[in-house]
Amino acid sequence: MNKGFVETYFNFEKVDWSTMWTSVYNTLFMTIVSTVLVVILGLLLGLALYSLGRKTTYSSRFVYTIVSIISNIFRSTPFMILMVLLIPFTTLLVGTFLGATAAIPALVLSATPFYARLVEISFREVDSGVLEAAEAMGASYGQIIYKILIPESLPSLISGVTVTTITMIGYTAIAGAIGAGGLGAIAWQEGYQRSNYTITLVATVLILVIVFIIQAIGDYLTKRTDKR
């Protein structure tokens, strides 16, 4: 292997490991906090979309269309643009637009509509015959949600959380490039901008390790909850 290539990408003496582990912490902080909020809000929004979509009244269809349009706007807006647009709101909410905490509003607003759509799809895949039987037996709508809809769609919901979480890790890397901190920030600022490609390589490998761990946990939980 070329000596210059090794010195460029594998010179680990250039890596400040304390700073690197701090960046790992910031990435995990942004991802975990955002994921918790996205799961809660996404379930509520997905349930609302599913419930409105089942109804045939004009008002329900109208509200469903409005909610869908708003969700699609946030879901389709590139994350970096959304984060910049939300700077005034973020500053008002957390007092600054820099740092890991400041990235959370943009992460939540971008990922919640995405997960809500996955939730809606998961609920739609539940056998309608089971729902009709529960309704015929006098089950309330709340009972149908908590005892049938969520348990029956749980593997799909977990799979959706896994996909959404991995997507948000990619978003944290983008957020890091514009002041949020984390592995994306160190890869861009300390690595690329200073031509220290070892740092960029290490940060990339750590992001991949986090992704693989999350994917493995998600796959395990999906299989454990799948009754088929």
Side-chain angles (χ1 to χ4, degrees):
M1 187 178 292
N2 185 278
K3 184 177 180 181
F5 177 84
V6 173
E7 291 180 350
T8 299
Y9 287 97
F10 298 96
N11 187 357
F12 296 108
E13 294 179 357
K14 295 181 179 180
V15 179
D16 183 344
W17 289 104
S18 62
T19 303
M20 187 66 70
W21 296 127
T22 299
S23 299
V24 171
Y25 169 80
N26 287 333
T27 295
L28 291 174
F29 171 77
M30 287 187 283
T31 303
I32 293 171
V33 174
S34 299
T35 298
V36 171
L37 294 174
V38 165
V39 169
I40 295 171
L41 297 175
L43 277 172
L44 295 174
L45 181 58
L47 179 61
L49 289 169
Y50 169 78
S51 300
L52 291 169
R54 292 186 70 199
K55 297 178 180 179
T56 57
T57 62
Y58 175 79
S59 58
S60 297
R61 301 305 301 175
F62 177 76
V63 174
Y64 177 85
T65 301
I66 297 299
V67 174
S68 295
I69 291 173
I70 295 173
S71 297
N72 288 336
I73 289 173
F74 282 102
R75 188 162 58 98
S76 304
T77 304
F79 178 74
M80 182 173 285
I81 296 175
L82 180 63
M83 192 167 181
V84 172
L85 289 174
L86 289 174
I87 284 177
F89 172 74
T90 301
T91 304
L92 179 66
L93 190 64
V94 301
T96 180
F97 65 91
L98 299 175
T101 303
I104 291 175
L107 288 168
V108 172
L109 285 176
S110 63
T112 295
F114 175 75
Y115 183 60
R117 284 297 186 185
L118 296 180
V119 170
E120 182 189 8
I121 293 171
S122 298
F123 287 166
R124 288 183 181 276
E125 290 177 349
V126 176
D127 188 355
S128 59
V130 176
L131 298 176
E132 291 172 0
E135 290 175 349
M137 294 175 64
S140 66
Y141 191 59
Q143 290 174 324
I144 291 173
I145 292 172
Y146 291 110
K147 294 185 178 181
I148 298 176
L149 206 58
I150 292 178
E152 289 293 326
S153 59
L154 191 57
S156 182
L157 293 175
I158 294 174
S159 180
V161 171
T162 304
V163 172
T164 305
T165 304
I166 291 173
T167 300
M168 283 196 296
I169 292 173
Y171 287 166
T172 64
I174 298 172
I178 53 177
L183 290 169
I186 199 171
W188 174 256
Q189 297 168 3
E190 301 295 328
Y192 176 77
Q193 290 187 330
R194 298 185 181 183
S195 298
N196 190 344
Y197 296 108
T198 302
I199 289 180
T200 302
L201 176 64
V202 171
T204 302
V205 170
L206 289 172
I207 289 174
L208 290 174
V209 169
I210 293 172
V211 168
F212 291 154
I213 291 173
I214 291 173
Q215 186 66 63
I217 293 172
D219 290 344
Y220 172 77
L221 293 176
T222 299
K223 291 179 181 178
R224 286 296 301 269
T225 56
D226 194 346
K227 300 176 183 178
R228 292 173 297 178

